[in-house]
Structure formats: C-alpha cells, structure tokens
Amino acid sequence: MTTLEIKNLHASVDGKPILQGVDLVIKAGETHAIMGPNGTGKSTLASVIMGHPRYEVTEGSITLDGADVLEMETDERARAGLFLAMQAPQEVPGVTNSDFLKTAVEAHAEERGEPFKIFSFIKEYDKALTELKMDADVPERYLNDGFSGGEKKRNEILQMKLIKPKIAILDEIDSGLDVDALKIVGENVTAMKGDGLGMLLITHYQRMLSYIHADIIHVMMKGRIVKTGTTDLMKKIDEQGYDWIKEELGIEDERVGVEVKEPTFLEPDSLADAFKK
Amino acid sequence: MKALDTIQPFIDHLDNVFVFKAGKIHTQKLKAPFDQIKVGSFDDLTEEALKTLKNTILKDYEGIDEALNASTYTTFIQVPKGFESDEKLYLFFLDGNQTEHIHLNLGSSSKFNVFEYHLDDAAGSKNILETITLGAYAHLDMASLSAYHEDSKVTFNRQGFFQEKSDATITLASLGDETLIQNTHLKLLGFQAKTELTAIALTSKKQISTIKSTIEHNAIESEGELNHYGVANDESFLTFEGMGKIEKGMRQSKNHQHNKGVVLAPKARLDANPLLVIDEFDVEAGHGAAVGRIDEEQLYYMMSRGMDKKTSERLIVNGFLHPLDRYLSEDFKTHVQNLLIQKTQ
C-alpha cells in the first residue's frame, strides 16, 4: 500500500524559515485536508513535496514507500507517483496541451516499462475532456495560454486523470472556480478515489470539502500542523473560524515568514483624538 | 548523409515540387494548376523581359548587375497573374559553392503558397540572393527553411518588393550549423501593402549567426510586422537586428516588432537590437525584446508532470518554432524535430 510519510519537515525560502516541523502520513485511499488561514505554510508544504527549486529543506524527511523523495528531482517524484495540482498553473505558449500531456504520459509509461499506446491516450483524453466539460479545442491550444482561471484548474484535473498518480496534492483547486465548475471538479476527483488514490487537499475554505469528502482534517499554523481531527473539526472551523484554535494554542500571529513591520512614523490619524481630554 | 537522400522521402509524397541541384533543375513534378507556373533560368528570359525586369521591379535592387553577372546559376519563377491555389509548391535547393540567384515573381491578384528548403552536400561558401516581388493584390504565403553544413559560410540576401494591396507572410527558419548572415529587406511600395516577416534561428556549438531584417514603408497605410525567435546553445552567438523604417509622408502606416529568445548554455550569447526609424508623425509603431534563460517556473511545472529537464526544455524551445507548424506536413515535422533535438542537446 502506497504511503507518503513526512517527518519533522523544516523548509525555508530565501533563507526565511517557513515549514517548522511538519509531520504527516498519507496512505493510499485516504483523503486528507489541510486547512488554515493564508500565509501559514500550506502551499509551501505542497511545493516542497513536489521539489520546487526555490525551497530549501533544512531538516526532516519525506519518503514515498520508503524511498527518499528529497533525493529525487521533480520529474522523478512525479514518475514515482506524486502529483501536484497547482494553485497557479503556468502558461507555456508554443507548447500545445496535447503535446505536453502526451510527453508526460509517455514518460510515466516508460518508467513503468509499459509501451505507450497513442490511441488509448487519445481516447482517454477525449473522455476526460467530456467528463470535465472542457472545450474540444483544448488539445490544440497552447498549454494554459489564455485560459480562464477555471479552465486552468480543470486542466490540472484533466492531467491528473491521465497521469494517474498514487498520491495527489490539490493546492487551492477551488479558487477561481464557480459552483458549477467546483461540482464538476469534485465529481471527477471523487471518482478517482476508488482507485486507491491518496489525496491531500489544501484549502482555506471548507467550501471545497462539501464536494470532495475528506477523511482527516488538519489545521496548519506557523508552519506546523497544530490540530488534526475529522468532519467535526471542519464544522467547528466553518462555524467559528480559526480564532479558538489560536487561543487554545496561545498563538498570536498564525503566519510564518511574514515580517511584522514596526510603524516607522506616527500615523496622522492616530492624533485625531489627541486633544479631547 | 547526402542532401538528396535527406529530402527524397518527402519528394515522393509531394505533388508540386522542384529540386534544384547546384542551380539546375534536378526533379520537377507539377500538377494543375501549378503547371501554369514558369520556371527557368535568366537565360531563358527574352532580352526584353530582362530589360523590363531591371527597369521596374529590380531597379531598386542594389547591385543587380553584379548579382546577375556573379550568379553561376539563376532561377526565375513566374507565377501568372490571377493564379490561385491553396496547395503548396515545394522548392528544394541543394546549394553548391556559388552564388545562386532566385527570383520569385507573383503576378497581380495571384495567391501562391511556397515552401523552400535550402541544404547542402558539402561544406563551402554559399551566397544566395533571392528577390520576391508581388504584383498588386498578390498574396504570398512562404516558408523557407535552411540547414547547412557546420563548416559552411552562408549569406542570404533577400529583398522583397510589394505593390499596392499585396500581402505576404514570410517565415524564415535557420536550423543548420553553418556560419550565417541572413539579410532580409522588404519594401512596401504600394498603397496598403502588408507583410509579416518571422525569422527563427537555432544556433549551437561555436556557430555565429546574424539575422538582419528590415521592413521599409514606402507607401501610405502600409503594415509591417516583424518577429524574431531565437535559441542559442553551447558557445554560439546569435544576433537579431530588426528594423522598422517608415519614410516621410507614409501616414497611417503600422510597424511592430517582437524579439523573443532563449539562451540554453552559460557560454551562449543572444543579442536582440530592435530599431525603429520613423520620419512621419501619423503612424503606429512599437518594438519589444524578451531574451533570457528558460523560465524556471515553466520548467518546474512541466517537470512536475514527469518529464525530465531535457525533454521539458526541448518542448519549451520547440514552442519557438510554432510559427512554422502550419507549413509543415507530419513527416516534415518529424524531420524538423530531429534537427531541433540535435541543436538543443
């Protein structure tokens, strides 16, 4: 059974520490959700798992079925079974969606020692386009070039459907999606759960979680997972926000890597009441 | 591999094709309506026709007499007035060590698609002069590929003369290993003449290539668009010099220029020097240049889908060739792909 194990993960960007000891285990068939306000390190965790060159791991480990993920290049991580649906997918003019995806699927087939079958690829591509209610001209268009926010997100899920990862991380897949699109994405992602896919959903609203059911909910603050629970935790966050967690844990500012700027001059507005007494 | 062997598989599939080997017609296949097109050397033209040419469309051609005298071989291609076809004429030039003069002349109101491919058997010094003239209302869609030997020194001098309301899309791609100087000077001479010129160049090893493209507006309401796409690898040096020139009084003319380039190796160099020379107030013009390394975020995105760095880079670089796509049949695409792979390794 596929297991992604993250132990005491510390990572920094430009020398600034962001992740400060993340522990997380995701097994095949499980869906985890990481929630938390903006700026707490959620997306950094996703980028570090996938090996974004900007982030430096300073401590801890990530393993996939025992194999050291941190030793792998980004493409090796992908071929090992990791997938990240990105928050802001890149636009690559000049490279068509079909060429891009064909090359990716080919690389995965080669890794598994299987022949790449072009006709089943085309068939699957067409099927996925229909299931995600995407335009038929998407394959010929350039990769995400001129796509709307919603189209880009659907294109991420489309790639995921064809690449068939073992563990998928969906980073804010709900942002930029209207309710109809969210429903379509939710259905497509849920359908993949049946194949033993392990998933990590990253979001700061619980909105997405009404379309994709998560078994385990984590809350991230200050670059760490500070609370883990089930649906009840999600409901409480939905009703009461995050402040009770901050109070419980004695956290004043949940953010990491954000410099709190001391005011360098007196705000003129702060003098408005100065002479009343 | 001999140049002829390289192109032979393509020729078999084509209906309308000429192969010129060292300036002489080697293969000729034409189907209607392309059988109306006249192809011959300047020697085949009447004294009168030659005189007319020199006094009219060739009169602006700098050094035409020298060019004609120096030309070991000349090829004159006359597309008749009113000719119209969506099919393409394929011209293969297996260039020898000499000056070649190619003259492509489109009669008025003709619509003509042409695909040129220049290559050589052995290294040497090649000098190719090409004139392209468009009669009024003529429409040209042209792609010209070149892939020469590593030790060849190649100079292309192309000049274009466009009459009233003529329209030409010209895409030039240098995919070989030669030392290259490519000069293209297109003159918009007639009212509302229009052109889009795209020059693509891939350089590798110690290659030095200079691509100079000029669009000159000598007519009111003329429109020119110039695109340079370049990829420099290894220790090569690629220079783009693009110029948009609008003469005084040529009001309501438009000239735009774009330069886009990628440098693949630390010792490679790519310069883009866009220039606008405008002597008229009532015009629209602009230029831009974006040259640098492959975007790290794009690379990361592609690699995160499982393709290795080399493959991802190649796909991105391949994107620079996209203006060529529509000219290439499937077998040609594979051929161009292979050239690209060699150049970007």
Side-chain angles (χ1 to χ4, degrees), chain B residues 10 27 40 62 102 133 145 165 169 174 193 240 257 270 283 289 298 311 318 320 326 337:
Chain B
F10 307 125
T27 309
E62 289 146 27
I102 305 157
T133 56
L145 261 64
K165 292 197 180 179
T169 306
S174 329
F240 285 127
Q257 184 185 152
L270 201 164
V283 296
Q298 284 186 346
T311 312
N318 212 343
F320 280 74
R326 65 188 184 91
Q337 279 291 328

Side-chain angles (χ1 to χ4, degrees), chain B residues 214-225:
Chain B
T214 303
I215 298 178
E216 188 181 320
H217 296 252
N218 252 313
I220 291 165
E221 292 182 29
S222 52
E223 284 179 36
E225 190 177 328

Side-chain angles (χ1 to χ4, degrees), chain B residues 82-225:
Chain B
F83 173 91
E84 205 175 324
S85 175
D86 289 326
E87 299 289 305
K88 248 183 234 126
L89 177 65
Y90 287 83
L91 305 172
F92 294 92
F93 296 93
L94 312 177
D95 298 317
N97 293 338
Q98 69 271 312
T99 301
E100 258 191 65
H101 192 272
I102 305 157
H103 186 80
L104 178 60
N105 192 32
L106 267 70
S108 57
S109 303
S110 59
K111 182 172 186 274
F112 184 60
N113 300 329
V114 63
F115 182 95
E116 284 184 1
Y117 192 6
H118 292 263
L119 57 175
D120 59 356
D121 274 331
S125 177
K126 339 253 153 169
N127 187 13
I128 297 106
L129 300 161
E130 186 168 22
T131 61
I132 302 161
T133 56
L134 268 69
Y137 293 86
H139 181 97
L140 171 69
D141 196 356
M142 170 180 171
S144 181
L145 261 64
S146 65
Y148 288 96
H149 196 274
E150 188 179 343
D151 297 320
S152 287
K153 285 186 166 56
V154 181
T155 310
F156 271 98
N157 272 306
R158 284 193 180 88
Q159 298 210 32
F161 307 93
F162 303 146
Q163 301 297 332
E164 181 187 343
K165 292 197 180 179
S166 62
D167 181 359
T169 306
I170 300 173
T171 304
L172 312 171
S174 329
L175 308 170
D177 297 324
E178 73 280 4
T179 301
L180 174 73
I181 297 172
Q182 178 183 294
N183 295 322
T184 311
H185 192 143
L186 306 182
K187 297 182 181 181
L188 302 172
L189 302 172
F191 172 68
Q192 286 185 348
K194 207 171 154 183
T195 190
E196 184 182 336
L197 172 64
T198 302
I200 300 162
L202 303 180
T203 57
S204 62
K205 298 176 194 163
K206 292 194 171 178
Q207 194 175 3
I208 299 173
S209 293
T210 307
I211 312 287
K212 210 169 160 180
S213 312
T214 303
I215 298 178
E216 188 181 320
H217 296 252
N218 252 313
I220 291 165
E221 292 182 29
S222 52
E223 284 179 36
E225 190 177 328

Side-chain angles (χ1 to χ4, degrees), chain A:
Chain A
M1 197 164 73
T2 301
T3 308
L4 178 74
E5 197 168 357
I6 299 164
K7 271 190 195 159
N8 189 32
L9 188 67
H10 287 67
S12 56
V13 60
D14 303 331
K16 230 185 287 166
I18 306 282
L19 298 184
Q20 297 174 9
V22 176
D23 291 294
L24 184 64
V25 179
I26 301 169
K27 290 188 177 137
E30 290 178 354
T31 302
H32 293 244
I34 294 193
M35 303 184 69
N38 274 333
T40 52
K42 303 189 302 296
S43 287
T44 299
L45 176 63
S47 297
V48 169
I49 296 173
M50 211 61 225
H52 192 290
R54 250 188 91 202
Y55 298 91
E56 194 198 343
V57 174
T58 49
E59 212 184 319
S61 68
I62 305 176
T63 56
L64 182 66
D65 295 330
D68 188 352
V69 170
L70 295 177
E71 277 298 304
M72 300 178 196
E73 293 291 333
T74 297
D75 58 309
E76 293 170 323
R77 298 181 193 203
R79 293 198 301 275
L82 296 176
F83 183 92
L84 170 60
M86 302 203 186
Q87 198 182 135
Q90 284 290 310
E91 296 187 8
V92 190
V95 179
T96 62
N97 284 289
S98 63
D99 275 350
F100 169 67
L101 195 49
K102 182 179 146 270
T103 313
V105 172
E106 232 173 333
H108 283 266
E110 198 182 326
E111 181 80 19
R112 289 192 297 264
E114 291 167 6
F116 172 71
K117 295 185 188 112
I118 181 79
F119 289 108
S120 44
F121 168 77
I122 295 169
K123 243 171 90 181
E124 260 186 77
Y125 198 165
D126 284 343
K127 191 167 163 259
L129 280 169
T130 314
E131 284 167 353
L132 283 156
K133 296 196 169 61
M134 292 175 80
D135 291 339
D137 68 350
V138 164
E140 290 90 54
R141 283 165 65 191
Y142 293 135
L143 181 53
N144 294 326
D145 187 28
F147 280 35
S148 71
E151 270 184 310
K152 281 183 188 168
K153 293 302 171 74
R154 288 190 215 198
N155 204 18
E156 294 292 283
I157 301 303
L158 188 141
Q159 291 169 26
M160 179 175 155
K161 280 172 87 98
L162 269 87
I163 288 172
K164 299 185 188 71
K166 293 176 186 162
I167 304 277
I169 306 154
L170 274 53
D171 189 5
E172 308 246 349
I173 197 74
D174 52 337
S175 67
L177 288 184
D178 59 31
V179 177
D180 289 336
L182 191 58
K183 199 169 158 246
I184 295 165
V185 164
E187 282 166 6
N188 278 276
V189 171
T190 305
M192 276 184 274
K193 282 211 242 173
D195 308 326
L197 174 72
M199 248 189 309
L200 178 62
L201 310 172
I202 292 173
T203 181
H204 63 263
Y205 301 114
Q206 56 78 43
R207 186 173 83 131
M208 183 174 77
L209 301 177
S210 38
Y211 295 94
I212 308 169
H213 174 78
D215 312 303
I216 303 154
I217 312 283
H218 309 274
V219 175
M220 198 157 175
M221 280 182 186
K222 290 196 102 49
R224 266 195 305 271
I225 288 173
V226 293
K227 210 160 184 65
T228 296
T230 55
T231 320
D232 294 341
L233 176 60
M234 184 187 89
K235 278 185 187 143
K236 198 166 174 189
I237 292 168
D238 191 29
E239 284 159 12
Q240 303 177 19
Y242 293 104
D243 285 349
W244 62 277
I245 302 177
K246 281 159 70 177
E247 265 170 43
E248 202 177 292
L249 299 167
I251 296 171
E252 268 177 32
D253 188 345
E254 71 279 12
R255 297 171 299 172
V256 280
V258 181
E259 281 163 34
V260 182
K261 279 196 183 135
E262 298 292 327
T264 50
F265 66 96
L266 195 63
E267 277 292 339
D269 287 349
S270 67
L271 292 175
D273 297 330
F275 295 105
K276 268 195 176 165
K277 282 174 196 169

